[in-house]
Amino acid sequence: MSNRLRLGVNIDHVATIRNARGGDHPDPVRAAQIVARCGGDGITAHLREDRRHIRDDDLRRIQDATDLPLNLEMAATEEMLAIALAHQPHAACIVPEKREERTTEGGLDAAGLHNQLAPIVSRLSDAGIRVSLFIEATERQLDAALRLGAPVVEFHTGEYAHATGEDRARILKQIADMSALAAKNGIEPHAGHGLTYENVQPIAAIPQLAELNIGHYLIGEAIFDGLEPAVLKMRELMDLAR
Ligand code: PXP
């Protein structure tokens, strides 16, 4: 199916549970292997500055354990750039990062941070790493991504996920419009954050979207149903929406 929407599974929160006890269990590598086995299209992991979930050695272990492309979420810092260049993930998604936040709360200000981002985007691109910018679905941010030469943008769906009624419909339209505009300009649009069985389908139905990255909800469902059934169910909902 040419219009198949890829599912990248974010396994950060397997590591969150592991780190709660400071040992090796549960191992995010095992989660990555299950995702590979049941038809996930990629593994996403966010190496945060404070290493609250994924740790440096997890990256190499994940890369060694599966053939799935690794999408490394990273802040635009020299430290993370050096790690990305050393690990050569398939893709690097640049995200804003605040130490005190619980999760990535908003999109990257690609417009305001142009000068800080430009050298990072070009050094990642020169190394053959596919750069994605995690932005809000606005024309200003999309223009900035174009100016930075990013081949991919990931639209932040957190606000959509939390909204209801007319607000949700308005934000959905904004994401759909910006996905169309991105594709028209040669940028591959992705989306992610806060997606669940309940809210994924209107997003999955946006025809230009090429990939969704989903983590927290899937790992939560995996506690009750197992990771493989959770990934398969999300996959099925996404396919039904296309
Ligand atoms: N995409 C990006 C860029 C993210 O930062 C995150 C959260 O780490 C996700 C997708 C996944 O979000 P969630 O865990 O809410 O599904």
Side-chain angles (χ1 to χ4, degrees):
M1 209 198 309
S2 63
N3 198 24
R4 186 174 185 273
L5 180 58
R6 293 194 302 271
L7 172 59
V9 177
N10 181 317
I11 56 171
D12 290 346
H13 296 300
V14 178
T16 304
I17 299 171
R18 174 195 62 190
N19 297 357
R21 287 294 171 93
D24 298 329
H25 183 84
D27 189 347
V29 169
R30 194 166 152 201
Q33 288 169 322
I34 292 170
V35 171
R37 209 171 59 218
C38 66
D41 301 290
I43 300 297
T44 293
H46 184 179
L47 185 69
R48 292 187 80 101
E49 186 194 12
D50 63 7
R51 309 302 197 265
R52 72 175 71 154
H53 34 63
I54 293 297
R55 299 188 300 236
D56 302 54
D57 64 317
D58 292 329
L59 296 179
R60 179 68 64 215
R61 292 191 315 111
I62 291 166
Q63 287 177 305
D64 288 347
T66 85
D67 290 333
L68 285 184
L70 174 66
N71 173 32
L72 173 66
E73 292 176 0
M74 53 175 272
T77 63
E78 280 298 323
E79 182 201 10
M80 289 301 150
L81 175 64
I83 291 170
L85 294 176
H87 285 79
Q88 291 285 312
H90 165 76
C93 179
I94 303 181
V95 302
E97 193 175 307
K98 293 190 229 112
R99 195 176 263 264
E100 65 281 9
E101 72 190 353
R102 244 187 271 171
T103 180
T104 312
E105 279 160 6
L108 184 73
D109 182 9
L113 297 174
H114 178 94
N115 292 346
Q116 184 191 332
L117 293 171
I120 295 192
V121 171
S122 62
R123 283 164 73 191
L124 288 167
S125 301
D126 289 349
I129 300 169
R130 198 150 188 253
V131 178
S132 161
L133 302 177
F134 189 41
I135 56 172
E136 299 293 336
T138 66
E139 245 181 285
R140 175 175 142 84
Q141 295 301 341
L142 193 55
D143 277 354
L146 258 176
R147 272 186 281 114
L148 284 162
V152 178
V153 292
E154 181 169 329
F155 292 124
H156 195 304
T157 49
E159 200 191 347
Y160 160 81
H162 291 124
T164 52
E166 282 178 15
D167 276 348
R168 181 180 275 196
R170 177 183 49 78
I171 301 165
L172 178 65
K173 181 170 184 314
Q174 181 77 11
I175 295 170
D177 289 350
M178 289 305 112
S179 296
L181 191 59
K184 197 171 143 207
N185 283 287
I187 294 188
E188 184 175 287
H190 299 178
H193 204 90
L195 295 176
T196 67
Y197 296 153
E198 182 269 324
N199 65 25
V200 74
Q201 288 197 299
I203 293 288
I206 297 172
Q208 295 84 5
L209 285 178
E211 179 174 309
L212 302 183
N213 284 298
I214 308 181
H216 183 266
Y217 182 82
L218 277 178
I219 303 306
E221 282 298 295
I223 292 170
F224 304 112
D225 291 337
L227 184 56
E228 182 163 344
V231 171
L232 290 175
K233 181 163 178 188
M234 190 62 85
R235 171 84 267 159
E236 188 186 3
L237 289 168
M238 288 164 53
D239 289 343
L240 286 171
R242 290 301 251 203

